[in-house]
PDB file of all heavy atoms in Angstrom:
ATOM      1  N   ARG A  24      17.419  24.378 -19.007  1.00  0.00           N
ATOM      2  CA  ARG A  24      18.231  24.588 -17.811  1.00  0.00           C
ATOM      3  C   ARG A  24      17.369  24.623 -16.547  1.00  0.00           C
ATOM      4  O   ARG A  24      17.721  24.004 -15.522  1.00  0.00           O
ATOM      5  CB  ARG A  24      19.011  25.896 -17.937  1.00  0.00           C
ATOM      6  CG  ARG A  24      19.938  26.200 -16.777  1.00  0.00           C
ATOM      7  CD  ARG A  24      20.730  27.466 -17.026  1.00  0.00           C
ATOM      8  NE  ARG A  24      21.603  27.791 -15.906  1.00  0.00           N
ATOM      9  CZ  ARG A  24      22.382  28.850 -15.852  1.00  0.00           C
ATOM     10  NH1 ARG A  24      22.413  29.695 -16.857  1.00  0.00           N
ATOM     11  NH2 ARG A  24      23.152  29.073 -14.804  1.00  0.00           N
ATOM     12  N   THR A  25      16.250  25.360 -16.606  1.00  0.00           N
ATOM     13  CA  THR A  25      15.350  25.438 -15.430  1.00  0.00           C
ATOM     14  C   THR A  25      14.773  24.086 -15.102  1.00  0.00           C
ATOM     15  O   THR A  25      14.684  23.686 -13.940  1.00  0.00           O
ATOM     16  CB  THR A  25      14.228  26.466 -15.687  1.00  0.00           C
ATOM     17  OG1 THR A  25      14.814  27.724 -15.942  1.00  0.00           O
ATOM     18  CG2 THR A  25      13.297  26.545 -14.499  1.00  0.00           C
ATOM     19  N   PHE A  26      14.343  23.349 -16.135  1.00  0.00           N
ATOM     20  CA  PHE A  26      13.766  22.021 -15.938  1.00  0.00           C
ATOM     21  C   PHE A  26      14.789  21.087 -15.291  1.00  0.00           C
ATOM     22  O   PHE A  26      14.476  20.351 -14.349  1.00  0.00           O
ATOM     23  CB  PHE A  26      13.292  21.437 -17.264  1.00  0.00           C
ATOM     24  CG  PHE A  26      12.720  20.052 -17.120  1.00  0.00           C
ATOM     25  CD1 PHE A  26      11.402  19.852 -16.752  1.00  0.00           C
ATOM     26  CD2 PHE A  26      13.524  18.938 -17.380  1.00  0.00           C
ATOM     27  CE1 PHE A  26      10.888  18.573 -16.633  1.00  0.00           C
ATOM     28  CE2 PHE A  26      13.018  17.659 -17.268  1.00  0.00           C
ATOM     29  CZ  PHE A  26      11.689  17.457 -16.895  1.00  0.00           C
ATOM     30  N   THR A  27      16.008  21.122 -15.804  1.00  0.00           N
ATOM     31  CA  THR A  27      17.061  20.247 -15.253  1.00  0.00           C
ATOM     32  C   THR A  27      17.333  20.541 -13.801  1.00  0.00           C
ATOM     33  O   THR A  27      17.438  19.641 -12.962  1.00  0.00           O
ATOM     34  CB  THR A  27      18.375  20.406 -16.066  1.00  0.00           C
ATOM     35  OG1 THR A  27      18.126  20.040 -17.427  1.00  0.00           O
ATOM     36  CG2 THR A  27      19.474  19.534 -15.495  1.00  0.00           C
ATOM     37  N   ARG A  28      17.378  21.840 -13.460  1.00  0.00           N
ATOM     38  CA  ARG A  28      17.611  22.242 -12.064  1.00  0.00           C
ATOM     39  C   ARG A  28      16.446  21.830 -11.181  1.00  0.00           C
ATOM     40  O   ARG A  28      16.617  21.283 -10.073  1.00  0.00           O
ATOM     41  CB  ARG A  28      17.832  23.749 -11.992  1.00  0.00           C
ATOM     42  CG  ARG A  28      18.221  24.241 -10.606  1.00  0.00           C
ATOM     43  CD  ARG A  28      18.746  25.661 -10.654  1.00  0.00           C
ATOM     44  NE  ARG A  28      17.779  26.596 -11.231  1.00  0.00           N
ATOM     45  CZ  ARG A  28      17.949  27.201 -12.410  1.00  0.00           C
ATOM     46  NH1 ARG A  28      19.047  26.987 -13.125  1.00  0.00           N
ATOM     47  NH2 ARG A  28      17.035  28.037 -12.884  1.00  0.00           N
ATOM     48  N   ARG A  29      15.202  22.054 -11.658  1.00  0.00           N
ATOM     49  CA  ARG A  29      14.013  21.679 -10.881  1.00  0.00           C
ATOM     50  C   ARG A  29      13.924  20.166 -10.721  1.00  0.00           C
ATOM     51  O   ARG A  29      13.582  19.659  -9.654  1.00  0.00           O
ATOM     52  CB  ARG A  29      12.764  22.221 -11.597  1.00  0.00           C
ATOM     53  CG  ARG A  29      11.448  21.831 -10.931  1.00  0.00           C
ATOM     54  CD  ARG A  29      11.221  22.577  -9.624  1.00  0.00           C
ATOM     55  NE  ARG A  29      11.257  23.995  -9.793  1.00  0.00           N
ATOM     56  CZ  ARG A  29      10.251  24.746 -10.256  1.00  0.00           C
ATOM     57  NH1 ARG A  29       9.124  24.181 -10.637  1.00  0.00           N
ATOM     58  NH2 ARG A  29      10.388  26.063 -10.368  1.00  0.00           N
ATOM     59  N   PHE A  30      14.239  19.447 -11.781  1.00  0.00           N
ATOM     60  CA  PHE A  30      14.154  17.999 -11.748  1.00  0.00           C
ATOM     61  C   PHE A  30      15.154  17.434 -10.732  1.00  0.00           C
ATOM     62  O   PHE A  30      14.817  16.567  -9.922  1.00  0.00           O
ATOM     63  CB  PHE A  30      14.435  17.398 -13.131  1.00  0.00           C
ATOM     64  CG  PHE A  30      13.982  15.980 -13.262  1.00  0.00           C
ATOM     65  CD1 PHE A  30      12.725  15.667 -13.787  1.00  0.00           C
ATOM     66  CD2 PHE A  30      14.805  14.938 -12.877  1.00  0.00           C
ATOM     67  CE1 PHE A  30      12.311  14.352 -13.905  1.00  0.00           C
ATOM     68  CE2 PHE A  30      14.386  13.613 -12.974  1.00  0.00           C
ATOM     69  CZ  PHE A  30      13.151  13.329 -13.501  1.00  0.00           C
ATOM     70  N   GLN A  31      16.377  17.930 -10.787  1.00  0.00           N
ATOM     71  CA  GLN A  31      17.403  17.452  -9.852  1.00  0.00           C
ATOM     72  C   GLN A  31      17.014  17.742  -8.403  1.00  0.00           C
ATOM     73  O   GLN A  31      17.176  16.901  -7.514  1.00  0.00           O
ATOM     74  CB  GLN A  31      18.752  18.095 -10.173  1.00  0.00           C
ATOM     75  CG  GLN A  31      19.898  17.642  -9.275  1.00  0.00           C
ATOM     76  CD  GLN A  31      20.253  16.193  -9.485  1.00  0.00           C
ATOM     77  OE1 GLN A  31      20.333  15.729 -10.608  1.00  0.00           O
ATOM     78  NE2 GLN A  31      20.465  15.472  -8.397  1.00  0.00           N
ATOM     79  N   LYS A  32      16.461  18.924  -8.171  1.00  0.00           N
ATOM     80  CA  LYS A  32      16.073  19.305  -6.811  1.00  0.00           C
ATOM     81  C   LYS A  32      14.879  18.482  -6.343  1.00  0.00           C
ATOM     82  O   LYS A  32      14.809  18.082  -5.171  1.00  0.00           O
ATOM     83  CB  LYS A  32      15.727  20.797  -6.779  1.00  0.00           C
ATOM     84  CG  LYS A  32      15.326  21.300  -5.386  1.00  0.00           C
ATOM     85  CD  LYS A  32      15.056  22.780  -5.407  1.00  0.00           C
ATOM     86  CE  LYS A  32      14.653  23.292  -4.027  1.00  0.00           C
ATOM     87  NZ  LYS A  32      14.371  24.754  -4.028  1.00  0.00           N
ATOM     88  N   SER A  33      13.917  18.213  -7.224  1.00  0.00           N
ATOM     89  CA  SER A  33      12.689  17.522  -6.818  1.00  0.00           C
ATOM     90  C   SER A  33      12.850  16.023  -6.754  1.00  0.00           C
ATOM     91  O   SER A  33      12.340  15.372  -5.838  1.00  0.00           O
ATOM     92  CB  SER A  33      11.553  17.842  -7.802  1.00  0.00           C
ATOM     93  OG  SER A  33      11.289  19.218  -7.831  1.00  0.00           O
ATOM     94  N   ILE A  34      13.563  15.438  -7.707  1.00  0.00           N
ATOM     95  CA  ILE A  34      13.653  13.999  -7.823  1.00  0.00           C
ATOM     96  C   ILE A  34      14.984  13.474  -7.283  1.00  0.00           C
ATOM     97  O   ILE A  34      15.074  12.338  -6.821  1.00  0.00           O
ATOM     98  CB  ILE A  34      13.492  13.529  -9.296  1.00  0.00           C
ATOM     99  CG1 ILE A  34      12.253  14.198  -9.909  1.00  0.00           C
ATOM    100  CG2 ILE A  34      13.372  12.021  -9.386  1.00  0.00           C
ATOM    101  CD1 ILE A  34      10.953  13.843  -9.246  1.00  0.00           C
ATOM    102  N   GLY A  35      16.017  14.284  -7.325  1.00  0.00           N
ATOM    103  CA  GLY A  35      17.301  13.886  -6.790  1.00  0.00           C
ATOM    104  C   GLY A  35      18.166  13.090  -7.754  1.00  0.00           C
ATOM    105  O   GLY A  35      19.134  12.447  -7.322  1.00  0.00           O
ATOM    106  N   THR A  36      17.844  13.116  -9.025  1.00  0.00           N
ATOM    107  CA  THR A  36      18.627  12.405 -10.033  1.00  0.00           C
ATOM    108  C   THR A  36      18.450  13.104 -11.363  1.00  0.00           C
ATOM    109  O   THR A  36      17.758  14.110 -11.454  1.00  0.00           O
ATOM    110  CB  THR A  36      18.187  10.934 -10.113  1.00  0.00           C
ATOM    111  OG1 THR A  36      19.091  10.207 -10.943  1.00  0.00           O
ATOM    112  CG2 THR A  36      16.765  10.790 -10.660  1.00  0.00           C
ATOM    113  N   SER A  37      19.071  12.594 -12.416  1.00  0.00           N
ATOM    114  CA  SER A  37      18.926  13.217 -13.720  1.00  0.00           C
ATOM    115  C   SER A  37      17.669  12.702 -14.409  1.00  0.00           C
ATOM    116  O   SER A  37      17.146  11.623 -14.085  1.00  0.00           O
ATOM    117  CB  SER A  37      20.136  12.887 -14.600  1.00  0.00           C
ATOM    118  OG  SER A  37      20.151  11.504 -14.933  1.00  0.00           O
ATOM    119  N   PHE A  38      17.185  13.450 -15.382  1.00  0.00           N
ATOM    120  CA  PHE A  38      15.999  13.027 -16.138  1.00  0.00           C
ATOM    121  C   PHE A  38      16.268  11.687 -16.836  1.00  0.00           C
ATOM    122  O   PHE A  38      15.410  10.809 -16.871  1.00  0.00           O
ATOM    123  CB  PHE A  38      15.594  14.080 -17.162  1.00  0.00           C
ATOM    124  CG  PHE A  38      14.494  13.634 -18.081  1.00  0.00           C
ATOM    125  CD1 PHE A  38      13.201  13.542 -17.616  1.00  0.00           C
ATOM    126  CD2 PHE A  38      14.769  13.285 -19.402  1.00  0.00           C
ATOM    127  CE1 PHE A  38      12.164  13.086 -18.462  1.00  0.00           C
ATOM    128  CE2 PHE A  38      13.761  12.855 -20.242  1.00  0.00           C
ATOM    129  CZ  PHE A  38      12.460  12.749 -19.770  1.00  0.00           C
ATOM    130  N   GLY A  39      17.462  11.515 -17.401  1.00  0.00           N
ATOM    131  CA  GLY A  39      17.788  10.293 -18.095  1.00  0.00           C
ATOM    132  C   GLY A  39      17.739   9.077 -17.202  1.00  0.00           C
ATOM    133  O   GLY A  39      17.214   8.024 -17.575  1.00  0.00           O
ATOM    134  N   ASP A  40      18.299   9.203 -16.005  1.00  0.00           N
ATOM    135  CA  ASP A  40      18.274   8.075 -15.050  1.00  0.00           C
ATOM    136  C   ASP A  40      16.853   7.779 -14.589  1.00  0.00           C
ATOM    137  O   ASP A  40      16.451   6.638 -14.446  1.00  0.00           O
ATOM    138  CB  ASP A  40      19.170   8.376 -13.854  1.00  0.00           C
ATOM    139  CG  ASP A  40      20.636   8.175 -14.157  1.00  0.00           C
ATOM    140  OD1 ASP A  40      20.949   7.530 -15.188  1.00  0.00           O
ATOM    141  OD2 ASP A  40      21.479   8.662 -13.384  1.00  0.00           O
ATOM    142  N   TRP A  41      16.102   8.840 -14.324  1.00  0.00           N
ATOM    143  CA  TRP A  41      14.699   8.653 -13.915  1.00  0.00           C
ATOM    144  C   TRP A  41      13.907   7.946 -14.994  1.00  0.00           C
ATOM    145  O   TRP A  41      13.133   7.019 -14.707  1.00  0.00           O
ATOM    146  CB  TRP A  41      14.085  10.017 -13.593  1.00  0.00           C
ATOM    147  CG  TRP A  41      12.611   9.957 -13.270  1.00  0.00           C
ATOM    148  CD1 TRP A  41      12.034   9.675 -12.055  1.00  0.00           C
ATOM    149  CD2 TRP A  41      11.524  10.184 -14.176  1.00  0.00           C
ATOM    150  NE1 TRP A  41      10.667   9.722 -12.159  1.00  0.00           N
ATOM    151  CE2 TRP A  41      10.326  10.016 -13.450  1.00  0.00           C
ATOM    152  CE3 TRP A  41      11.454  10.494 -15.537  1.00  0.00           C
ATOM    153  CZ2 TRP A  41       9.070  10.169 -14.035  1.00  0.00           C
ATOM    154  CZ3 TRP A  41      10.212  10.636 -16.114  1.00  0.00           C
ATOM    155  CH2 TRP A  41       9.030  10.489 -15.378  1.00  0.00           C
ATOM    156  N   LEU A  42      14.065   8.377 -16.244  1.00  0.00           N
ATOM    157  CA  LEU A  42      13.355   7.771 -17.356  1.00  0.00           C
ATOM    158  C   LEU A  42      13.703   6.291 -17.491  1.00  0.00           C
ATOM    159  O   LEU A  42      12.805   5.442 -17.702  1.00  0.00           O
ATOM    160  CB  LEU A  42      13.642   8.498 -18.659  1.00  0.00           C
ATOM    161  CG  LEU A  42      12.961   7.984 -19.937  1.00  0.00           C
ATOM    162  CD1 LEU A  42      11.449   8.015 -19.777  1.00  0.00           C
ATOM    163  CD2 LEU A  42      13.395   8.809 -21.130  1.00  0.00           C
ATOM    164  N   ALA A  43      14.985   5.979 -17.345  1.00  0.00           N
ATOM    165  CA  ALA A  43      15.404   4.576 -17.419  1.00  0.00           C
ATOM    166  C   ALA A  43      14.788   3.771 -16.292  1.00  0.00           C
ATOM    167  O   ALA A  43      14.333   2.608 -16.504  1.00  0.00           O
ATOM    168  CB  ALA A  43      16.932   4.472 -17.384  1.00  0.00           C
ATOM    169  N   ASP A  44      14.708   4.332 -15.082  1.00  0.00           N
ATOM    170  CA  ASP A  44      14.070   3.639 -13.954  1.00  0.00           C
ATOM    171  C   ASP A  44      12.593   3.378 -14.229  1.00  0.00           C
ATOM    172  O   ASP A  44      12.076   2.302 -13.908  1.00  0.00           O
ATOM    173  CB  ASP A  44      14.229   4.457 -12.685  1.00  0.00           C
ATOM    174  CG  ASP A  44      15.643   4.424 -12.124  1.00  0.00           C
ATOM    175  OD1 ASP A  44      16.385   3.489 -12.493  1.00  0.00           O
ATOM    176  OD2 ASP A  44      15.987   5.317 -11.335  1.00  0.00           O
ATOM    177  N   GLN A  45      11.896   4.371 -14.785  1.00  0.00           N
ATOM    178  CA  GLN A  45      10.484   4.187 -15.082  1.00  0.00           C
ATOM    179  C   GLN A  45      10.281   3.106 -16.116  1.00  0.00           C
ATOM    180  O   GLN A  45       9.344   2.309 -16.053  1.00  0.00           O
ATOM    181  CB  GLN A  45       9.902   5.521 -15.604  1.00  0.00           C
ATOM    182  CG  GLN A  45       9.910   6.677 -14.593  1.00  0.00           C
ATOM    183  CD  GLN A  45       9.157   6.354 -13.312  1.00  0.00           C
ATOM    184  OE1 GLN A  45       8.022   5.891 -13.371  1.00  0.00           O
ATOM    185  NE2 GLN A  45       9.791   6.572 -12.187  1.00  0.00           N
ATOM    186  N   ARG A  46      11.164   3.056 -17.099  1.00  0.00           N
ATOM    187  CA  ARG A  46      11.048   2.037 -18.144  1.00  0.00           C
ATOM    188  C   ARG A  46      11.362   0.644 -17.593  1.00  0.00           C
ATOM    189  O   ARG A  46      10.719  -0.353 -18.006  1.00  0.00           O
ATOM    190  CB  ARG A  46      11.960   2.406 -19.312  1.00  0.00           C
ATOM    191  CG  ARG A  46      11.388   3.544 -20.162  1.00  0.00           C
ATOM    192  CD  ARG A  46      12.336   4.035 -21.234  1.00  0.00           C
ATOM    193  NE  ARG A  46      11.599   4.872 -22.197  1.00  0.00           N
ATOM    194  CZ  ARG A  46      12.168   5.714 -23.035  1.00  0.00           C
ATOM    195  NH1 ARG A  46      13.497   5.856 -23.033  1.00  0.00           N
ATOM    196  NH2 ARG A  46      11.422   6.431 -23.877  1.00  0.00           N
ATOM    197  N   VAL A  47      12.332   0.560 -16.715  1.00  0.00           N
ATOM    198  CA  VAL A  47      12.596  -0.721 -16.077  1.00  0.00           C
ATOM    199  C   VAL A  47      11.387  -1.170 -15.278  1.00  0.00           C
ATOM    200  O   VAL A  47      11.005  -2.364 -15.304  1.00  0.00           O
ATOM    201  CB  VAL A  47      13.849  -0.630 -15.174  1.00  0.00           C
ATOM    202  CG1 VAL A  47      13.947  -1.866 -14.271  1.00  0.00           C
ATOM    203  CG2 VAL A  47      15.101  -0.522 -16.035  1.00  0.00           C
ATOM    204  N   ALA A  48      10.747  -0.237 -14.562  1.00  0.00           N
ATOM    205  CA  ALA A  48       9.571  -0.582 -13.778  1.00  0.00           C
ATOM    206  C   ALA A  48       8.459  -1.115 -14.680  1.00  0.00           C
ATOM    207  O   ALA A  48       7.771  -2.096 -14.332  1.00  0.00           O
ATOM    208  CB  ALA A  48       9.084   0.631 -12.993  1.00  0.00           C
ATOM    209  N   LEU A  49       8.243  -0.488 -15.819  1.00  0.00           N
ATOM    210  CA  LEU A  49       7.221  -0.952 -16.761  1.00  0.00           C
ATOM    211  C   LEU A  49       7.587  -2.331 -17.297  1.00  0.00           C
ATOM    212  O   LEU A  49       6.735  -3.226 -17.399  1.00  0.00           O
ATOM    213  CB  LEU A  49       7.069   0.041 -17.907  1.00  0.00           C
ATOM    214  CG  LEU A  49       6.117  -0.409 -19.053  1.00  0.00           C
ATOM    215  CD1 LEU A  49       4.718  -0.706 -18.511  1.00  0.00           C
ATOM    216  CD2 LEU A  49       6.063   0.662 -20.129  1.00  0.00           C
ATOM    217  N   ALA A  50       8.850  -2.530 -17.641  1.00  0.00           N
ATOM    218  CA  ALA A  50       9.299  -3.828 -18.129  1.00  0.00           C
ATOM    219  C   ALA A  50       9.086  -4.894 -17.061  1.00  0.00           C
ATOM    220  O   ALA A  50       8.656  -6.031 -17.385  1.00  0.00           O
ATOM    221  CB  ALA A  50      10.769  -3.768 -18.510  1.00  0.00           C
ATOM    222  N   GLN A  51       9.316  -4.590 -15.807  1.00  0.00           N
ATOM    223  CA  GLN A  51       9.059  -5.537 -14.732  1.00  0.00           C
ATOM    224  C   GLN A  51       7.593  -5.952 -14.718  1.00  0.00           C
ATOM    225  O   GLN A  51       7.279  -7.141 -14.609  1.00  0.00           O
ATOM    226  CB  GLN A  51       9.424  -4.924 -13.382  1.00  0.00           C
ATOM    227  CG  GLN A  51      10.930  -4.831 -13.143  1.00  0.00           C
ATOM    228  CD  GLN A  51      11.225  -4.193 -11.802  1.00  0.00           C
ATOM    229  OE1 GLN A  51      11.227  -2.960 -11.670  1.00  0.00           O
ATOM    230  NE2 GLN A  51      11.476  -5.004 -10.798  1.00  0.00           N
ATOM    231  N   ARG A  52       6.707  -4.966 -14.822  1.00  0.00           N
ATOM    232  CA  ARG A  52       5.267  -5.305 -14.798  1.00  0.00           C
ATOM    233  C   ARG A  52       4.879  -6.153 -16.000  1.00  0.00           C
ATOM    234  O   ARG A  52       4.074  -7.083 -15.863  1.00  0.00           O
ATOM    235  CB  ARG A  52       4.445  -4.007 -14.767  1.00  0.00           C
ATOM    236  CG  ARG A  52       4.595  -3.222 -13.473  1.00  0.00           C
ATOM    237  CD  ARG A  52       3.540  -2.149 -13.328  1.00  0.00           C
ATOM    238  NE  ARG A  52       3.674  -1.103 -14.321  1.00  0.00           N
ATOM    239  CZ  ARG A  52       4.433  -0.022 -14.180  1.00  0.00           C
ATOM    240  NH1 ARG A  52       5.171   0.131 -13.089  1.00  0.00           N
ATOM    241  NH2 ARG A  52       4.474   0.905 -15.114  1.00  0.00           N
ATOM    242  N   LEU A  53       5.424  -5.848 -17.160  1.00  0.00           N
ATOM    243  CA  LEU A  53       5.111  -6.649 -18.353  1.00  0.00           C
ATOM    244  C   LEU A  53       5.641  -8.056 -18.215  1.00  0.00           C
ATOM    245  O   LEU A  53       4.977  -9.032 -18.616  1.00  0.00           O
ATOM    246  CB  LEU A  53       5.724  -5.976 -19.579  1.00  0.00           C
ATOM    247  CG  LEU A  53       5.099  -4.626 -20.007  1.00  0.00           C
ATOM    248  CD1 LEU A  53       5.891  -3.993 -21.131  1.00  0.00           C
ATOM    249  CD2 LEU A  53       3.638  -4.825 -20.427  1.00  0.00           C
ATOM    250  N   LEU A  54       6.816  -8.215 -17.638  1.00  0.00           N
ATOM    251  CA  LEU A  54       7.377  -9.553 -17.436  1.00  0.00           C
ATOM    252  C   LEU A  54       6.584 -10.335 -16.385  1.00  0.00           C
ATOM    253  O   LEU A  54       6.430 -11.544 -16.485  1.00  0.00           O
ATOM    254  CB  LEU A  54       8.843  -9.444 -17.004  1.00  0.00           C
ATOM    255  CG  LEU A  54       9.817  -8.932 -18.074  1.00  0.00           C
ATOM    256  CD1 LEU A  54      11.173  -8.626 -17.441  1.00  0.00           C
ATOM    257  CD2 LEU A  54       9.960  -9.946 -19.198  1.00  0.00           C
TER     258      LEU A  54
END
C-alpha cells in the first residue's frame, strides 16, 4: 500500500503502466 501510494505520487501513474512503458522503451532500442 505504501509503495503504491509513493509510486503514484512520484511517477504519476501505476506501477503496471510504468513497467509496460519501460519494456516498450527497451523493445524500441532492441528494434
Side-chain angles (χ1 to χ4, degrees):
R24 182 177 179 181
T25 301
F26 178 84
T27 299
R28 186 167 57 247
R29 177 71 57 79
F30 196 95
Q31 181 67 44
K32 181 178 180 180
S33 299
I34 311 298
T36 188
S37 69
F38 173 73
D40 282 344
W41 175 85
L42 180 58
D44 286 340
Q45 297 301 311
R46 285 173 166 162
V47 167
L49 174 57
Q51 286 179 277
R52 293 193 294 272
L53 292 173
L54 291 170

